[in-house]
Amino acid sequence: MIQLDRLTKKFSDFKTGERLALDHVSFDVKPGEIFGLLGPNGAGKTTCLRILSTVLKPSSGSAIIAGYDVATHPAQVRARIGFMSNNTGIYDRMTAWELVEYYGRLYGIPQAQLTQRLETIFSTLQMNEIREVLGSKMSTGMKQKVSIARAIVHDPPVMIFDEPTSGLDVLVARRVIHAVESLRDQGKCIIFSTHIMREVEKLCDRIAIIYRGRILAQGSIEELRDTHHQRDIEELFFELISACDAEEAEHLRANEDSINPGLDDTSTNVEVRP
Ligand SMILES: Nc1ncnc2c1ncn2[C@@H]1O[C@H](COP(=O)(O)OP(=O)(O)OP(=O)(O)O)[C@@H](O)[C@H]1O
């Protein structure tokens, strides 16, 4: 349902020059599966998810969602995905019901069908007691529930969660995790990005460890443990990242040597003209 093939994104910045935020990233995710993107700050997770949600265009490679290419068919892709991050907007002056209904209308769902859909969502996410609560009066936990409701109002087959538990207390984070699990049980195809090891171990069917825009390893937690002979997923994460840093440092050294081969040669002559 989601297929990434050598997806690459370069940013050009006049200060830092060209930056490779995603470097030939490939993976696929099936319906009824939670695929975890695990990486530290700056690894490339958000860039990847922004391309999948059609906010950014890839520099090269492709991403296909539910049969549509994100670069050439963004409208069809948007209709089939639900996106939620930890800062998905909630409007102060709308109640929970109004806000979710508003998004349903944006997706063009006919009113009778939309009301039915809202009833189902508000019951499933146990939101009935907050129907009339205004955005400005919502607790963080309420806001998260409304954000999830908003992301699933059009019943998309694909869900994208970008660090949805970041900054939440354990109780609220737990509720979000349970909501994600129940979406998987309904057969949704889910990408879940995080830097929290415990979450991937608990939640994800397969994961990709991403760093410096590259996928360093991917598979089920058990496969990764077996392949890398490391039971502790946190240790495995640090080992892979350290190896990547060492490789990068070696690469930089080799580059410097090829650019300045004679730097150590003290016999270099410098001619000074008057
Ligand atoms: N619009 C942009 N212009 C230039 N560089 C960018 C831009 N967006 C992201 N980057 C760079 O791309 C790299 C990947 O960033 P990204 O936000 O995808 O990482 P992340 O894994 O989501 O990290 P975080 O957890 O901090 O959000 C970083 O080095 C970042 O500085």
Side-chain angles (χ1 to χ4, degrees):
M1 178 135 308
I2 302 177
Q3 288 135 344
L4 271 66
D5 184 19
R6 288 163 287 171
L7 195 69
T8 299
K9 180 70 186 175
K10 283 183 193 148
F11 288 112
S12 294
D13 189 309
F14 80 100
K15 266 195 198 150
T16 51
E18 213 163 60
R19 185 181 286 263
L20 199 51
L22 275 188
D23 188 0
H24 293 80
V25 165
S26 301
F27 60 76
D28 48 50
V29 192
K30 297 175 198 63
E33 183 175 46
I34 302 178
F35 186 83
L37 264 189
L38 178 67
N41 293 134
K45 305 180 296 294
T46 302
T47 302
C48 180
L49 302 187
R50 289 178 78 200
I51 293 175
L52 296 184
S53 53
T54 77
V55 176
L56 279 178
K57 287 245 186 274
S59 305
S60 64
S62 66
I64 311 288
I65 294 189
Y68 294 97
D69 191 310
V70 295
T72 55
H73 293 80
Q76 286 85 344
V77 169
R78 278 198 292 274
R80 288 162 181 81
I81 59 170
F83 185 92
M84 189 205 155
S85 72
N86 62 333
N87 57 9
T88 312
I90 299 292
Y91 303 125
D92 281 356
R93 294 196 201 169
M94 279 190 186
T95 64
W97 184 273
E98 285 167 350
L99 190 128
V100 183
E101 188 176 48
Y102 170 72
Y103 275 88
R105 289 211 190 106
L106 287 184
Y107 283 108
I109 306 171
Q111 188 59 49
Q113 195 185 325
L114 181 57
T115 306
Q116 190 54 50
R117 177 81 186 135
L118 260 70
E119 291 289 355
T120 310
I121 291 175
F122 273 66
S123 299
T124 320
L125 293 178
Q126 297 172 347
M127 289 171 55
N128 280 320
E129 69 280 17
I130 64 162
R131 276 185 190 220
E132 302 306 327
V133 178
L134 282 171
S136 58
K137 302 268 174 341
M138 286 177 197
S139 68
T140 312
M142 290 175 189
K143 284 184 180 164
Q144 289 304 96
K145 276 191 176 180
V146 177
S147 297
I148 295 176
R150 188 194 117 159
I152 62 173
V153 66
H154 54 307
D155 199 15
V158 173
M159 296 292 311
I160 298 173
F161 290 93
D162 187 10
E163 309 212 17
T165 59
S166 164
L168 300 182
D169 74 40
V170 278
L171 287 179
V172 181
R174 217 179 150 88
R175 269 186 238 128
V176 172
I177 296 292
H178 285 157
V180 176
E181 279 170 337
S182 82
L183 288 166
R184 169 188 41 206
D185 297 343
Q186 291 165 31
K188 305 285 184 201
C189 172
I190 299 170
I191 295 195
F192 187 96
S193 101
T194 183
H195 56 265
I196 307 170
M197 315 278 163
R198 215 171 354 94
E199 277 183 355
V200 292
E201 283 191 271
K202 206 164 170 246
L203 190 66
C204 300
D205 301 295
R206 286 187 303 127
I207 64 167
I209 295 178
I210 183 165
Y211 185 54
R212 293 183 184 274
R214 275 158 45 201
I215 291 196
L216 304 183
Q218 64 171 304
S220 69
I221 302 270
E222 244 358 88
E223 280 165 2
L224 293 182
R225 283 180 175 140
D226 290 348
T227 315
H228 297 274
H229 310 291
Q230 174 56 269
R231 303 305 300 164
D232 185 331
I233 208 74
E234 194 166 305
E235 280 304 316
L236 168 61
F237 181 79
F238 288 125
E239 282 172 15
L240 288 169
I241 280 178
S242 308
C244 182
D245 280 340
E247 194 184 299
E248 183 70 18
E250 181 53 42
H251 182 69
L252 283 175
R253 246 194 316 274
N255 263 358
E256 267 174 24
D257 287 351
S258 69
I259 292 167
N260 301 310
L263 267 187
D264 291 339
D265 184 356
T266 48
S267 66
T268 306
N269 290 325
V270 179
E271 188 186 346
V272 181
R273 288 169 190 273

